[in-house]
Amino acid sequence: DIQMTQSPSSLSASVGDRVTITCRASQSISTYLNWYQQKPGKAPKVLIYAASSLQSGVPSRFSGSGSGTDFTLTISSLQPEDFATYYCQQSYSNIRTFGQGTKLEIK
Amino acid sequence: EVHVVESGGGLVLPGGSLRLSCAASAFTFNSHWMSWVRQAPGKGLEWVANMNQDGTEKYYADSVKGRFTISRDRATNSLYLQMNSLRAEDTAVYFCARESWLREYQTVWYYFDSWGQGTLVTVSS
């Protein structure tokens, strides 16, 4: 199965900061990479699909890039509502897998 | 508005069985792959199983293969997860998720765009 590794596992940042989260796949997955945001007690919400496509309704401060094995999620200017846990997920294989998550906390 | 609602969770003894259901509405259920994803308390997301539109393809995480069975009823727009030989490590909130897609020429990208609220399964004696 394809393993997904995110870094960092946790991150402290301030409102207005630019933040980057990295996701690495154990093999090349082209651009079959999605990003989700999850807040406590809630279901995940898709932010980015196909590595760089912004889901409808998601603010433009979120962006994704990468292909092959290395991907990034960038939040250009953190807002208070962005403090949450972020997950990457590959859909290259029918055996879907998630990264372990990155918890974004307020500094 | 797209809606998926899970049910069937509860407390079960180790070695026991449970069947989860997911009721889908407000979209063409028979056009979508569907997945189960779980989250153990305080842990990350773990994909469990999925199946294609007509049920001819089913895939499972290694952690549940041989114990869990995914199925769907096209007539009632329902997705199911039969869970047998349950273990303590299966304790989690189980989410039902719709897989949507982006198609460009011959390439199709899948992603989870609609999720239920989850149903809690607790395996404990």
Side-chain angles (χ1 to χ4, degrees):
Chain A
D1 296 351
I2 300 172
Q3 309 303 315
M4 307 301 294
T5 304
Q6 289 180 232
S7 61
S9 295
S10 63
L11 174 60
S12 293
S14 302
V15 172
D17 284 353
R18 180 183 180 89
V19 166
T20 297
I21 298 169
T22 297
C23 178
R24 175 164 288 175
S26 60
Q27 66 178 73
S28 178
I29 58 169
S30 182
T31 57
Y32 293 89
L33 191 284
N34 308 314
W35 290 98
Y36 301 85
Q37 176 194 68
Q38 187 182 33
K39 296 183 178 179
K42 301 293 187 181
K45 166 188 166 183
V46 63
L47 302 173
I48 302 286
Y49 59 94
S52 61
S53 295
L54 189 69
Q55 173 72 342
S56 176
V58 174
S60 59
R61 62 181 180 272
F62 291 92
S63 63
S65 65
S67 67
T69 60
D70 295 314
F71 302 86
T72 58
L73 172 70
T74 300
I75 310 172
S76 60
S77 178
L78 271 175
Q79 298 303 300
E81 60 267 30
D82 299 337
F83 292 95
T85 301
Y86 294 84
Y87 296 91
C88 62
Q89 174 252 327
Q90 64 80 20
S91 60
Y92 178 87
S93 166
N94 288 320
I95 308 291
R96 316 298 195 205
T97 46
F98 287 91
Q100 82 278 15
T102 295
K103 187 172 183 179
L104 180 53
E105 299 175 305
I106 300 173
K107 184 182 288 183
Chain B
E1 182 184 350
V2 170
H3 215 48
V4 291
V5 179
E6 305 91 341
S7 61
L11 176 63
V12 60
L13 294 171
S17 297
L18 209 56
R19 189 194 197 206
L20 304 184
S21 300
C22 169
S25 59
F27 68 96
T28 307
F29 179 73
N30 296 334
S31 295
H32 289 264
W33 284 69
M34 296 293 295
S35 272
W36 288 98
V37 177
R38 69 184 180 183
Q39 187 168 37
K43 303 296 184 182
L45 299 172
E46 180 187 15
W47 175 84
V48 172
N50 67 355
M51 68 189 301
N52 68 343
Q53 294 89 335
D54 62 7
T56 55
E57 295 185 56
K58 302 178 184 183
Y59 299 91
Y60 299 92
D62 286 345
S63 57
V64 306
K65 198 176 298 181
R67 300 187 299 122
F68 289 13
T69 302
I70 190 171
S71 62
R72 64 195 295 165
D73 185 331
R74 293 160 60 86
T76 62
N77 292 348
S78 297
L79 182 74
Y80 302 100
L81 186 67
Q82 177 67 43
M83 304 185 296
N84 298 330
S85 303
L86 282 161
R87 307 165 179 167
E89 54 265 36
D90 296 318
T91 294
V93 173
Y94 285 73
F95 295 100
C96 170
R98 183 180 83 164
E99 298 199 30
S100 279
W101 64 88
L102 166 69
R103 182 187 297 274
E104 288 185 0
Y105 305 105
Q106 304 298 324
T107 304
V108 182
W109 292 264
Y110 289 97
Y111 56 100
F112 303 120
D113 74 327
S114 295
W115 300 67
Q117 82 291 346
T119 187
L120 176 62
V121 173
T122 303
V123 184
S124 175
S125 55

